[in-house]
Amino acid sequence: MALYADSLALNLLRKNFNISNDDNKPIIALAGNPNTGKSTIFNGLTGLRQHTGNWPGKTVGRAEGYFKYKEEEFLIIDLPGTYSLLANSTEELIARDFICFARPDLTLVVADATNLERNLNLVLQVLELSTNTILVLNLLDEARRKGIKIDVKKLEACLQVPVIPAVAREGLGLEEIKKTCYQISKEKIKIKGFKITYSREIEEKIEELIPLLKRKLPFLQKRINWRWLALRLLEGDKTILASINTYYPIYQERVNIFQKGEVQLDGFNQVWLK
Ligand SMILES: Nc1nc2c(ncn2[C@@H]2O[C@H](COP(=O)(O)OP(=O)(O)O)[C@@H](O)[C@H]2O)c(=O)[nH]1
Ligand SMILES: [Mg+2]
């Protein structure tokens, strides 16, 4: 019963993102830096089974579609191309809020294999928010042409997520993407996901903050990654509280205690809490 109520609540919340998913298909978010081949992958997976429009209330384009593997059908949403999830632009805000609040079952992050170092920034940020992440290493033909060799197994071991090599323009890797989505959502294979450990000072603050957040914002239990939320607050990110207000409007009073500074988190974020 609780589970049923939870899925109803989640479906209701997902309507904010224009998602109708009353038949509870697994939802896949497609993230990545611009020009990594995200649209090529999206088109390759969905074919003609797609629909385009704008994100609600925004002039940013949005595409959603379906793909099937065996008997299972997946709903895939193409997020705006971004370099980070820090909510510094409308695109970043959309991508972050989608992963944080619409809670996709899986996030596929597409990375440009010719520029892995830069692309890993977003991969790590997505992983920090949700371990249900798969890395698609695209443009491998370009990488090969440039003499770049990537040890996929090693990368997989480091990040502790599935890494799928792809040349999307030639359709290579798409079958593996579908199969991996299926295995993870259907066979409930757990993705461990690399966890960044910060300096002792920051880790102590996180430890201190999490119980306080759980106490003050109990409605977010099982609905948010507490460690990630603590990190955002420690870095003084105001946009996350605004987004919680947007997606959980009936709890605004509780969120406001942080905004008004009634609850002191001290240290890093004193400045903006005042
Ligand atoms: N060489 C090569 N080009 C690709 C590959 N995947 C996509 N592209 C090309 O890269 C460009 C950007 O792709 P697009 O899907 O629009 O990227 P997006 O901005 O991430 O959506 C297009 O010209 C694609 O044809 C690939 O695996 N190899
Ligand atoms: Mg695109």
Side-chain angles (χ1 to χ4, degrees), residues 217-237:
L217 307 172
F219 60 95
L220 290 175
Q221 185 64 43
K222 295 206 170 126
R223 296 188 169 143
I224 208 156
N225 177 335
W226 294 112
R227 179 180 166 84
W228 179 84
L229 177 60
L231 277 164
R232 297 292 74 75
L233 294 175
L234 288 174
E235 89 188 354
D237 178 353

Side-chain angles (χ1 to χ4, degrees), residues 60-120:
V60 179
R62 175 185 184 286
E64 67 169 47
Y66 295 95
F67 70 84
K68 218 172 164 175
Y69 189 83
K70 293 190 180 167
E71 75 293 349
E72 187 79 333
E73 190 152 64
F74 296 84
L75 173 57
I76 181 165
I77 321 279
D78 189 17
L79 300 179
T82 60
Y83 294 102
S84 90
L85 289 184
L86 297 179
N88 288 324
S89 65
T90 308
E91 285 79 5
E92 289 182 12
L93 190 69
I94 292 170
R96 180 201 71 186
D97 279 358
F98 189 84
I99 300 173
C100 180
F101 296 102
R103 289 184 280 140
D105 296 271
L106 268 173
T107 302
L108 289 177
V109 189
V110 184
D112 174 354
T114 67
N115 221 326
L116 192 55
E117 191 174 342
R118 190 184 68 189
N119 281 248
L120 280 179

Side-chain angles (χ1 to χ4, degrees), residues 247-271:
Y247 298 108
Y248 294 95
I250 58 168
Y251 298 108
Q252 257 181 30
E253 272 316 303
R254 300 201 192 181
V255 178
N256 285 346
I257 58 172
F258 289 94
Q259 279 165 326
K260 287 188 207 140
E262 280 168 34
V263 172
Q264 289 293 327
L265 304 174
D266 70 67
F268 304 87
N269 53 352
Q270 285 275 6
V271 182

Side-chain angles (χ1 to χ4, degrees), residues 18-257:
N18 254 355
I19 288 185
S20 300
N21 189 36
D22 298 329
D23 43 5
N24 289 316
K25 292 184 170 69
I27 294 185
I28 316 280
L30 188 60
N33 292 7
N35 276 316
T36 50
K38 241 156 38 67
S39 296
T40 310
I41 289 172
F42 179 83
N43 292 332
L45 290 173
T46 60
L48 293 174
R49 303 195 58 208
Q50 56 170 273
H51 172 81
T52 53
N54 275 347
W55 287 90
K58 308 274 191 321
T59 52
V60 179
R62 175 185 184 286
E64 67 169 47
Y66 295 95
F67 70 84
K68 218 172 164 175
Y69 189 83
K70 293 190 180 167
E71 75 293 349
E72 187 79 333
E73 190 152 64
F74 296 84
L75 173 57
I76 181 165
I77 321 279
D78 189 17
L79 300 179
T82 60
Y83 294 102
S84 90
L85 289 184
L86 297 179
N88 288 324
S89 65
T90 308
E91 285 79 5
E92 289 182 12
L93 190 69
I94 292 170
R96 180 201 71 186
D97 279 358
F98 189 84
I99 300 173
C100 180
F101 296 102
R103 289 184 280 140
D105 296 271
L106 268 173
T107 302
L108 289 177
V109 189
V110 184
D112 174 354
T114 67
N115 221 326
L116 192 55
E117 191 174 342
R118 190 184 68 189
N119 281 248
L120 280 179
N121 188 32
L122 179 69
V123 177
L124 290 176
Q125 286 184 24
V126 171
L127 252 182
E128 198 157 51
L129 179 52
S130 164
T131 49
N132 277 341
T133 299
I134 295 175
L135 173 58
V136 180
L137 204 51
N138 195 36
L139 293 142
L140 268 178
D141 54 337
E142 283 292 316
R144 232 168 263 142
R145 220 171 43 80
K146 291 185 175 166
I148 300 169
K149 288 202 187 88
I150 296 171
D151 186 337
V152 173
K153 285 282 158 238
K154 196 164 182 181
L155 191 59
E156 218 161 37
C158 288
L159 295 173
Q160 297 176 52
V161 303
V163 178
I164 303 174
V167 184
R169 206 160 62 176
E170 292 164 27
L172 297 175
L174 296 181
E175 209 45 38
E176 192 63 25
I177 292 173
K178 291 191 213 175
K179 186 176 150 197
T180 310
C181 290
Y182 180 88
Q183 284 173 333
I184 287 157
S185 76
K186 213 47 192 172
E187 295 160 14
K188 309 262 181 245
I189 293 174
K190 201 137 174 54
I191 300 174
K192 190 148 181 261
F194 170 74
K195 180 177 159 231
I196 300 172
T197 306
Y198 293 92
S199 67
R200 212 184 75 199
E201 192 189 14
I202 294 176
E203 289 294 337
E204 279 171 1
K205 284 282 169 203
I206 295 170
E207 287 290 298
E208 219 176 279
L209 201 44
I210 290 176
L212 177 73
L213 292 172
K214 284 186 174 171
R215 214 164 47 242
K216 296 290 179 186
L217 307 172
F219 60 95
L220 290 175
Q221 185 64 43
K222 295 206 170 126
R223 296 188 169 143
I224 208 156
N225 177 335
W226 294 112
R227 179 180 166 84
W228 179 84
L229 177 60
L231 277 164
R232 297 292 74 75
L233 294 175
L234 288 174
E235 89 188 354
D237 178 353
K238 286 184 221 177
T239 68
I240 186 60
L241 295 175
S243 290
I244 295 172
N245 278 339
T246 302
Y247 298 108
Y248 294 95
I250 58 168
Y251 298 108
Q252 257 181 30
E253 272 316 303
R254 300 201 192 181
V255 178
N256 285 346
I257 58 172

